[in-house]
Short mmCIF file of all heavy atoms in Angstrom, two decimals:
data_model
loop_
_atom_site.label_atom_id
_atom_site.label_comp_id
_atom_site.label_asym_id
_atom_site.label_seq_id
_atom_site.Cartn_x
_atom_site.Cartn_y
_atom_site.Cartn_z
N MET M 124 123.02 125.14 100.53
CA MET M 124 121.79 125.88 100.22
C MET M 124 121.77 127.24 100.91
O MET M 124 121.16 128.19 100.41
CB MET M 124 120.55 125.09 100.68
CG MET M 124 120.34 123.74 100.02
SD MET M 124 120.16 123.82 98.23
CE MET M 124 121.81 123.42 97.68
N LEU M 125 122.43 127.33 102.06
CA LEU M 125 122.42 128.57 102.83
C LEU M 125 123.44 129.59 102.34
O LEU M 125 123.23 130.80 102.45
CB LEU M 125 122.70 128.26 104.31
CG LEU M 125 121.74 127.28 105.01
CD1 LEU M 125 122.22 126.99 106.42
CD2 LEU M 125 120.32 127.81 105.03
N ARG M 126 124.55 129.09 101.79
CA ARG M 126 125.67 129.96 101.42
C ARG M 126 125.31 131.12 100.50
O ARG M 126 125.72 132.25 100.75
CB ARG M 126 126.77 129.11 100.78
CG ARG M 126 128.02 129.12 101.62
CD ARG M 126 129.09 128.22 101.04
NE ARG M 126 129.21 127.04 101.87
CZ ARG M 126 129.45 125.81 101.42
NH1 ARG M 126 129.61 125.59 100.14
NH2 ARG M 126 129.54 124.80 102.25
N PRO M 127 124.54 130.89 99.41
CA PRO M 127 124.23 132.01 98.52
C PRO M 127 123.45 133.14 99.21
O PRO M 127 123.40 134.26 98.72
CB PRO M 127 123.39 131.38 97.41
CG PRO M 127 123.73 129.93 97.44
CD PRO M 127 124.01 129.63 98.88
N LEU M 128 122.85 132.83 100.35
CA LEU M 128 122.08 133.84 101.09
C LEU M 128 122.93 134.46 102.22
O LEU M 128 122.42 135.19 103.06
CB LEU M 128 120.82 133.22 101.69
CG LEU M 128 119.84 132.62 100.66
CD1 LEU M 128 118.71 131.89 101.36
CD2 LEU M 128 119.29 133.71 99.75
N GLY M 129 124.22 134.14 102.22
CA GLY M 129 125.11 134.68 103.26
C GLY M 129 124.87 134.07 104.62
O GLY M 129 125.20 134.66 105.65
N ARG M 130 124.30 132.87 104.65
CA ARG M 130 124.01 132.19 105.92
C ARG M 130 124.86 130.93 106.05
O ARG M 130 125.40 130.43 105.07
CB ARG M 130 122.52 131.80 105.97
CG ARG M 130 121.60 132.99 106.03
CD ARG M 130 120.13 132.58 105.93
NE ARG M 130 119.30 133.68 106.36
CZ ARG M 130 118.32 133.57 107.25
NH1 ARG M 130 118.02 132.41 107.79
NH2 ARG M 130 117.62 134.63 107.60
N SER M 131 124.90 130.43 107.26
CA SER M 131 125.56 129.14 107.49
C SER M 131 124.72 128.35 108.48
O SER M 131 123.77 128.88 109.07
CB SER M 131 126.98 129.35 108.02
OG SER M 131 126.95 130.15 109.17
N LEU M 132 125.05 127.07 108.63
CA LEU M 132 124.29 126.23 109.55
C LEU M 132 124.40 126.76 110.98
O LEU M 132 125.45 127.24 111.39
CB LEU M 132 124.82 124.79 109.52
CG LEU M 132 124.59 124.02 108.21
CD1 LEU M 132 125.26 122.65 108.29
CD2 LEU M 132 123.11 123.87 107.90
N SER M 133 123.31 126.68 111.71
CA SER M 133 123.30 127.10 113.11
C SER M 133 124.18 126.16 113.94
O SER M 133 124.36 125.00 113.57
CB SER M 133 121.87 127.04 113.67
OG SER M 133 121.04 127.93 112.96
N PRO M 134 124.71 126.64 115.06
CA PRO M 134 125.49 125.76 115.93
C PRO M 134 124.64 124.56 116.35
O PRO M 134 123.47 124.70 116.70
CB PRO M 134 125.81 126.64 117.14
CG PRO M 134 125.71 128.05 116.63
CD PRO M 134 124.63 128.02 115.57
N ALA M 135 125.25 123.39 116.26
CA ALA M 135 124.54 122.15 116.60
C ALA M 135 125.58 121.06 116.85
O ALA M 135 126.74 121.22 116.47
CB ALA M 135 123.63 121.74 115.45
N PRO M 136 125.18 119.96 117.48
CA PRO M 136 126.12 118.84 117.61
C PRO M 136 126.59 118.39 116.22
O PRO M 136 125.85 118.53 115.23
CB PRO M 136 125.27 117.74 118.27
CG PRO M 136 124.15 118.47 118.94
CD PRO M 136 123.86 119.67 118.08
N SER M 137 127.77 117.84 116.16
CA SER M 137 128.29 117.34 114.88
C SER M 137 127.63 116.00 114.54
O SER M 137 127.00 115.36 115.41
CB SER M 137 129.80 117.15 114.95
OG SER M 137 130.10 116.04 115.76
N VAL M 138 127.80 115.56 113.30
CA VAL M 138 127.28 114.26 112.89
C VAL M 138 127.97 113.15 113.68
O VAL M 138 127.36 112.11 113.94
CB VAL M 138 127.48 114.05 111.37
CG1 VAL M 138 127.01 112.68 110.93
CG2 VAL M 138 126.74 115.11 110.59
N ASP M 139 129.21 113.37 114.08
CA ASP M 139 129.91 112.36 114.86
C ASP M 139 129.32 112.25 116.27
O ASP M 139 129.24 111.16 116.83
CB ASP M 139 131.40 112.69 114.96
CG ASP M 139 132.09 112.55 113.61
OD1 ASP M 139 131.72 111.62 112.86
OD2 ASP M 139 132.97 113.36 113.29
N GLU M 140 128.90 113.39 116.82
CA GLU M 140 128.34 113.39 118.18
C GLU M 140 126.90 112.89 118.21
O GLU M 140 126.53 112.07 119.04
CB GLU M 140 128.37 114.81 118.76
CG GLU M 140 129.76 115.38 118.95
CD GLU M 140 129.72 116.89 119.20
OE1 GLU M 140 128.89 117.61 118.60
OE2 GLU M 140 130.54 117.33 120.02
#
Side-chain angles (χ1 to χ4, degrees):
M124 298 300 98
L125 302 175
R126 245 177 253 143
L128 300 174
R130 293 174 164 230
S131 55
L132 293 176
S133 298
S137 72
V138 177
D139 292 323
E140 296 166 322

